[in-house]
Amino acid sequence: WVHRNGTIFIVCGGELKRAENISGPWQHVSSFSTNGGPKGAYEDPYLYIDARDRFHLIYHVYESVPAYTCVNSTVSAHVYSPDGFTWHAHPVSPYGTQVLLSTGETITVSTRERPKLFFDHTGRMTHLFNGVSSATACPPPNGPATGCVDCKYEAWDYTLVALLDV
């Protein structure tokens, strides 16, 4: 994330780092944990800094357990900091496997990975992008024993763009 003052921030291995130039040198700012957030494996962090200089991370989160339906699978988490030094994991996922379409229909996806946010010219977030699998269930023995996150190997489909209600 490039801060409005030009400082570049990255997240790597549970650490926030900063540099004045993309080539570095990169300086350690803080370390953080996802403890207290939704249970599962955390990956694909997306870092952004809001208009009040608060730091946020949106993650793809998954549990590798057999699942016979993907309706309530964990797919996301939010970790935040008021200053870049003190971090908190929100206990509730910011979004799930249920997606309300513009048609009014709700669909279930098995996973929502690689989160990215789109910000308009005023800096307001307007859309969430995810890679999704449209499988609503992929139970063993036909599907993977590791659950909904791995339905993508049989039904990896498209990029979902979701309008945010913020």
Side-chain angles (χ1 to χ4, degrees):
W1 183 266
V2 180
H3 191 276
R4 65 180 168 270
N5 69 12
T7 302
I8 303 166
F9 290 94
I10 64 169
V11 171
C12 182
E15 291 184 35
L16 178 68
K17 297 182 180 189
R18 67 180 295 275
E20 299 305 318
N21 183 298
I22 194 72
S23 300
W26 290 93
Q27 301 168 335
H28 172 83
V29 175
S30 61
S31 296
F32 58 89
S33 167
T34 57
N35 290 341
K39 183 180 171 191
Y42 284 59
E43 66 176 10
D44 304 337
Y46 178 83
L47 169 69
Y48 70 96
I49 302 170
D50 68 21
R52 295 192 289 185
D53 284 336
R54 295 174 299 194
F55 290 73
H56 300 267
L57 293 165
I58 302 294
Y59 280 94
H60 169 236
V61 180
Y62 64 91
E63 289 188 82
S64 294
V65 294
Y68 296 98
T69 178
C70 299
V71 171
N72 294 314
S73 293
T74 301
V75 293
S76 66
H78 178 215
V79 177
Y80 58 96
S81 170
D83 55 13
F85 297 101
T86 304
W87 291 86
H88 310 279
H90 197 283
V92 178
S93 295
Y95 56 88
T97 58
Q98 303 295 291
V99 181
L100 178 62
L101 302 179
S102 59
T103 62
E105 175 189 5
T106 298
I107 61 168
T108 299
V109 295
S110 61
T111 188
R112 291 176 77 174
E113 302 189 21
R114 299 181 310 278
K116 305 285 183 280
L117 291 168
F118 179 81
F119 295 82
D120 69 13
H121 69 282
T122 69
R124 185 177 70 101
M125 69 177 84
T126 61
H127 294 81
L128 170 66
F129 292 76
N130 294 103
V132 301
S133 171
S134 64
T136 59
C138 55
N142 299 326
T146 52
C148 291
V149 69
D150 288 332
C151 293
K152 63 188 172 196
Y153 298 116
E154 298 297 324
W156 197 233
D157 290 311
Y158 55 91
T159 298
L160 174 72
V161 181
L163 180 65
L164 298 174
D165 184 21
V166 290

